[in-house]
Amino acid sequence: MDPVTLTTDRLQLRTFVPADTDEVFVAAQDPDIQRWTTVPSPYARVDAEYFVQQMVPDGWRADTEYTFAVRRDPSGPIVAAVSLHHPRAGAWEVGFWTHKEHRGRGYMTEAVLGVARWAFTELACVRLEWRAEAGNVASRTVAEKAGFQVEGVLRAGLLNKGVLRDCWIGALLPSDLPIPGALPYLPSPTP
């Protein structure tokens, strides 16, 4: 797929470009991003170059990961990053980080909802999953504000820096937004 640009009420989401390398490098120096995400730690400039120049474009070309730089306006600084990845059986997983200077303003919730709507309407996504290492309260807060239902804990469900860690998992369905789903859904009866 060719990269697309998405807009929300306050944000523009577009693919990363080589000119974003310095901003990615600076944002990834944040200890919270290195602790709670799977970015390398320590994070070197070569890691930012690989991410922007190879990983992001390769994901779009292969239709395996769609990564967006989140900005308040086209020429403004990067506020956050959000991606859809690990497609399987009509489901995608969302991942994200927010630049420390832009946290607490609702940008990430808005960006996650923007990519969710795009996934449900343009990718025929039937289920959007969110996973975060158990204890990552900030990520869980964003997911819950976006409407994800936390479904439980996966033991050893997340590999981060060579260590298996327990993770929370949640899901957002098209009907949660509400958007018509690509397939009918029959929930289990409540006991």
Side-chain angles (χ1 to χ4, degrees), residues 125-154:
C125 176
V126 297
R127 173 184 163 90
L128 186 58
E129 295 182 351
W130 158 85
R131 295 169 198 249
E133 184 177 334
N136 188 345
V137 175
S139 183
R140 183 173 178 151
T141 300
V142 167
E144 289 177 330
K145 284 182 178 181
F148 284 76
Q149 290 187 25
V150 177
E151 298 172 333
V153 175
L154 299 176

Side-chain angles (χ1 to χ4, degrees), residues 72 77-80 98-108:
R72 288 181 292 169
I78 293 174
V79 170
T98 307
H99 194 293
K100 67 181 174 182
E101 309 217 351
H102 299 283
R103 292 181 186 142
R105 298 177 189 166
Y107 296 138
M108 185 47 59

Side-chain angles (χ1 to χ4, degrees), residues 27-38:
Q29 298 310 304
D30 177 10
D32 287 335
I33 289 175
Q34 290 187 25
R35 165 64 181 93
W36 294 111
T37 72
T38 58

